[in-house]
Amino acid sequence: MGMIKGCINENCIARQKKTHYKKTDEFCSKCGNKLSYVCADCFKQLPDDSQKYCITCAARRKDKKDATKNGAKKIGGGVLAVGGIVLSAGKIVVDVMRKK
């Protein structure tokens, strides 16, 4: 699922740069601390390797996804409304052309 290991030492350069390590790595190559599973966004330590994001980041990502979906629905509804107006106007133009 893409779980990420990272250094949790606040003073480590690998933590500051949010360096990702392989699952097989056990210790940080910069400071030597034991690596832990961390959130992919904020790099907070996770309790286990079952999740990729912490609760806060997962909620933020879900909210952003929902907002994007709602925006797409509004845009789609607007396109349908404009399309209906264009079709109505097109029918009027065709009727006018037939009368001439």
Side-chain angles (χ1 to χ4, degrees), residues 24-89:
T24 56
D25 293 338
E26 294 294 323
F27 297 96
C28 176
S29 61
K30 303 293 182 187
C31 70
N33 274 0
K34 186 165 176 61
L35 297 174
S36 296
Y37 288 99
V38 294
C39 175
D41 283 347
C42 67
F43 241 59
K44 287 181 187 174
Q45 184 177 4
L46 298 174
D48 57 13
D49 65 343
S50 64
Q51 299 293 322
K52 184 175 183 176
Y53 302 103
C54 66
I55 294 170
T56 306
C57 292
R60 183 174 40 245
R61 292 174 76 79
K62 185 181 181 313
D63 290 344
K64 188 175 179 181
K65 186 176 181 180
D66 290 343
T68 302
K69 282 183 182 179
N70 289 338
K73 284 180 185 177
K74 288 179 184 177
I75 291 171
V79 168
L80 288 176
V82 170
I85 292 168
V86 169
L87 285 176
S88 297

Side-chain angles (χ1 to χ4, degrees), residues 7-25:
C7 184
I8 56 171
N9 178 5
E10 294 290 331
N11 300 323
C12 180
I13 190 100
R15 161 87 181 205
Q16 294 166 1
K17 290 186 176 184
K18 295 185 177 181
T19 304
H20 297 185
Y21 290 91
K22 297 176 186 176
K23 277 189 171 184
T24 56
D25 293 338

